[in-house]
Amino acid sequence: MSLQTADYDYPLPDELIARYPAFRRDQSRMMLLDRQTQQITHLRFGDIVDLVQPRELVVLNDTKVIPARIRLPDRNAEILLLDEVDTFTWRCLVRPGKSFPLGRMFSIEGRVGAVIQILDEGDRLIRFDRPIDFDKIGEMPLPPYIKRAPEAIDRERYQTVYAMRPGAIAAPTAGLHFTPDILARLPHEFLTLHVGVGTFKPVKAAVVSEHRLHREEFQLTEAVAGSIQSAEQVLAVGTTTVRTLETLMQRFDEIRPGKGVTDIFIYPPFDFRRVNSLLTNFHLPKSTLLMLVAAFAGREFILEAYREAVRERYRFFSYGDCMMIR
């Protein structure tokens, strides 16, 4: 089992990166991977209704993306709000760093902000003179590989139809394919994990085990925890759902309700104790998400599937197609 980061790479033509969503959410293609037979089948996302088994519970992440990117056009700079420290203070990712030295004050849409601390890895603590009105000054934080400015369509489509709890700076993209009709036809429960900045951070270490994953907050209710704990089979929608469930199993040996924080990094080999099937999008080369999927399906099988996806002209990443691994 390889722990070399380079062994989780694959070639991807730039034109296969989806820069806009499909016309309809459920129009996406879906690749079905059978771990037992090592077979690959090409389907449409709408086929998921026929694939979910009678005693299988679909578990989804109901986090809601906040319009957390704030541009400062007068200085060609931007701020990405990561974590709310209090009503006026945020931990932020800034670009370029030289525009945000300690003590720097700036204004945007009548609000005044000041850099009050420079944290590890260059993040800033920025204090504003009033609470942030995201709808007025924020943009949807599209991933950098989309390579375009956010548009009106992104307010709707870079968000799941069941998004309920604001706090994420990236969408749980496996859920973007669901429509209200499809969701209503499946037995399902929701947990919440607020997707953080680590989803954009590449693995720079040559050896996978030397990479440190970011911390993300999660929560689930008592009723949801009981339902997941007692389910005969669990289909996890997205890697964030997997990380939440497997964190709880590692920590408590059961699915417990409440709030928590996870920095679990799942890579081969890994013993999955609650997730039986996984719905996920196609992930970036050498990313922690690809490593998680490789732990679930096997590195060689996943890389074979990605090669076939390239041959079959699947659409990749956040706005792209998906795969179900059984």
Side-chain angles (χ1 to χ4, degrees):
M1 186 64 67
S2 175
L3 289 179
Q4 299 297 311
T5 300
D7 288 338
Y8 295 87
D9 197 4
Y10 66 91
L12 178 67
D14 184 73
E15 67 269 17
L16 295 186
I17 299 174
R19 293 189 166 88
Y20 286 91
F23 181 72
R24 289 203 328 261
R25 290 179 184 268
D26 58 355
Q27 272 188 332
S28 300
R29 298 167 74 187
M30 182 170 68
M31 178 183 282
L32 178 64
L33 274 61
D34 188 315
R35 292 184 290 172
Q36 296 298 117
T37 64
Q38 301 280 286
Q39 286 190 319
I40 297 173
T41 308
H42 302 286
L43 304 169
R44 289 284 173 181
F45 180 74
D47 296 323
I48 192 172
V49 175
D50 299 318
L51 293 174
V52 173
Q53 301 169 6
R55 293 186 176 88
E56 192 167 27
L57 180 67
V58 180
V59 183
L60 311 101
N61 181 5
D62 67 359
T63 189
K64 188 172 185 177
V65 182
I66 56 177
R69 177 168 281 121
I70 300 174
R71 296 186 190 272
L72 286 73
D74 60 324
R75 63 179 66 187
N76 193 27
E78 65 178 55
I79 300 168
L80 184 63
L81 304 178
L82 303 179
D83 295 309
E84 185 177 22
V85 178
D86 58 43
T87 305
F88 301 98
T89 309
W90 287 79
R91 184 171 70 89
C92 304
L93 192 66
V94 300
R95 190 172 63 182
K98 64 182 181 181
S99 292
F100 299 91
L102 185 64
R104 171 61 63 88
M105 298 184 69
F106 58 91
S107 64
I108 180 167
E109 298 287 342
R111 290 161 177 78
V112 176
V115 179
I116 62 173
Q117 188 177 349
I118 299 179
L119 304 173
D120 294 341
E121 299 185 0
D123 293 352
R124 268 55 166 181
L125 274 190
I126 296 180
R127 186 168 180 81
F128 297 90
D129 64 343
R130 69 182 92 168
I132 296 295
D133 182 350
F134 288 106
D135 291 328
K136 185 174 182 181
I137 68 172
E139 295 180 353
M140 292 300 275
L142 296 181
Y145 50 74
I146 286 184
K147 296 180 181 177
R148 63 173 174 81
E151 300 175 18
I153 189 175
D154 300 308
R155 289 272 178 160
E156 175 195 357
R157 296 298 300 276
Y158 194 61
Q159 199 84 269
T160 64
V161 297
Y162 49 80
M164 289 289 292
R165 301 180 185 276
I169 63 164
T173 55
L176 296 179
H177 310 282
F178 285 87
T179 64
D181 176 65
I182 288 177
L183 193 60
R185 297 167 66 186
L186 299 172
H188 63 274
E189 295 283 6
F190 297 112
L191 53 77
T192 306
L193 182 141
H194 293 313
V195 189
V197 69
T199 192
F200 297 123
K201 290 189 174 180
V203 178
K204 294 181 179 179
V207 179
V208 171
S209 56
E210 294 178 358
H211 180 73
R212 292 293 171 263
L213 208 59
H214 55 291
R215 292 160 58 89
E216 293 172 321
E217 297 180 356
F218 66 84
Q219 66 179 33
L220 61 169
T221 67
E222 187 170 349
V224 167
S227 182
I228 298 172
Q229 174 69 21
S230 62
E232 186 171 309
Q233 298 280 315
V234 167
L235 167 58
V237 176
T239 57
T240 59
T241 300
V242 174
R243 293 180 68 230
T244 302
L245 297 181
E246 296 301 331
T247 292
L248 290 168
M249 292 303 296
Q250 278 198 353
R251 198 167 290 167
F252 305 116
D253 204 31
E254 64 179 358
I255 304 299
R256 282 193 187 177
K259 295 183 178 181
V261 174
T262 179
D263 61 358
I264 189 173
F265 182 13
I266 297 175
Y267 54 85
F270 185 85
D271 179 24
F272 291 85
R273 300 173 59 194
R274 181 61 286 200
V275 175
N276 306 102
S277 299
L278 170 61
L279 179 77
T280 187
N281 278 20
F282 292 88
H283 302 296
L284 275 72
K286 297 192 285 188
S287 65
T288 60
L289 305 183
L290 178 58
M291 292 166 187
L292 182 153
V293 175
F296 193 72
R299 186 182 69 89
E300 295 82 2
F301 188 31
I302 278 295
L303 292 178
E304 176 191 342
Y306 272 57
R307 287 191 292 269
E308 180 151 340
V310 169
R311 287 194 299 269
E312 295 293 328
R313 311 295 290 177
Y314 273 68
R315 302 169 74 243
F316 277 68
F317 306 158
S318 294
Y319 273 149
D321 297 316
C322 61
M323 64 165 56
M324 180 187 283
I325 308 170
R326 310 224 69 165

